[in-house]
Amino acid sequence: MSRETLEYHWGEHHRGYVENMNRQIGGTELDGLTLEDIMTITYNKGDFLSAFNSAAQAWSNDFLWETMKPDGGGEPSGDLLELIKRDFGSFEFVEEFKLAASTQFGSGWAWLAYKANRLDVGNAVNPWPSEQDNKLGVVKSPNAINPLLWDHCPLLSIDVWEHAYYLDFQNRGADYISISMEKLVSWGAVGSRLEMAKAQAAERESEEERRKRAEEEEQTPHSEATKMFLESNLQTPWLLLF
């Protein structure tokens, strides 16, 4: 990535998203919330509110820069590599990732995501993982959408909006995608995100179990409770007063 592209992408587009969002949320109940909360609320289950595009693009670009490092690329190690091999067969998953990026019609993104939960998103057409919970997956998203809005945990992204590459590659988007994967990816950052995603998924599972147990206790049948009360009383000696 050239200095010109970085200055144009980060200094013009990314900054523009942030400034537009700040203007849109100023003086509203969104002012002061985290960027992630602003994005989630304004997504509004697919019926976007006015600040959504700016908030989501600001979030996704923050995420993108953290994915990169000078002299990056290569292969990951540790749990991340093991999970990639388990879910994709080999590190050749990068070809699937490149294909997703190169076939995203129009502006958008490609992502490696940890899909820990089934989706529950109204008014949107989304990938439904059902039998693939707690696995890695490659997804692509149009415009400002990102997998966080589908209740997935993004781990890696590539921006296929034209402004991300045109100054350096013109219409050779496939070259931009390949070089980004080969020379810019920070697999250390991706691995750290995976560990956080697994920890969050485990906590959510524990919370779900606690919620289910609480519901079951509240739904104890009245007749069963009455029976337990009567049986308890039958075992209690009664003092009769005359």
Side-chain angles (χ1 to χ4, degrees), residues 4-96:
E4 184 181 15
T5 289
L6 180 59
E7 290 177 346
Y8 180 63
H9 190 169
W10 177 79
E12 297 291 334
H13 285 273
H14 191 177
R15 178 180 293 177
Y17 298 137
V18 174
E19 291 175 348
N20 286 338
M21 179 192 69
N22 288 335
R23 283 194 293 268
Q24 290 167 322
I25 68 172
T28 74
E29 60 185 8
L30 299 173
D31 200 357
L33 297 182
T34 66
L35 179 56
E36 185 173 316
D37 284 343
I38 294 169
M39 176 182 68
T40 303
I41 291 169
T42 57
Y43 178 65
N44 196 32
K45 292 189 173 182
D47 187 14
F48 307 154
L49 303 182
S50 61
F52 170 72
N53 286 319
S54 295
Q57 284 292 88
W59 187 94
S60 294
N61 276 276
D62 278 347
F63 183 94
L64 176 69
W65 305 129
E66 294 169 359
T67 301
M68 297 180 179
K69 72 172 186 177
D71 301 318
E75 292 190 8
S77 59
D79 290 344
L80 175 58
L81 182 58
E82 291 303 312
L83 206 56
I84 287 173
K85 290 179 177 178
R86 186 197 74 179
D87 295 341
F88 296 101
S90 74
F91 187 64
E92 290 302 309
F93 100 93
V94 295
E95 298 305 319
E96 181 176 342

Side-chain angles (χ1 to χ4, degrees), residues 128-203:
W128 181 263
S130 62
E131 76 284 358
Q132 297 180 2
D133 291 347
N134 299 310
K135 289 187 177 182
L136 298 177
V138 171
V139 295
K140 53 187 177 179
S141 61
N143 299 315
I145 300 295
N146 67 62
L148 197 65
L149 301 165
W150 299 330
D151 204 22
H152 295 344
C153 294
L155 305 179
L156 170 68
S157 69
I158 187 166
D159 186 348
V160 292
W161 283 68
E162 193 173 75
H163 62 247
Y165 63 88
Y166 193 80
L167 290 178
D168 292 338
F169 294 92
Q170 286 77 51
N171 63 345
R172 294 179 292 112
D175 291 342
Y176 153 72
I177 293 165
S178 294
I179 291 174
S180 295
M181 293 299 294
E182 293 167 5
K183 297 185 177 181
L184 289 178
V185 174
S186 172
W187 289 113
V190 178
S192 296
R193 287 172 178 156
L194 174 62
E195 293 309 309
M196 289 189 291
K198 291 193 294 185
Q200 290 171 4
E203 176 57 31

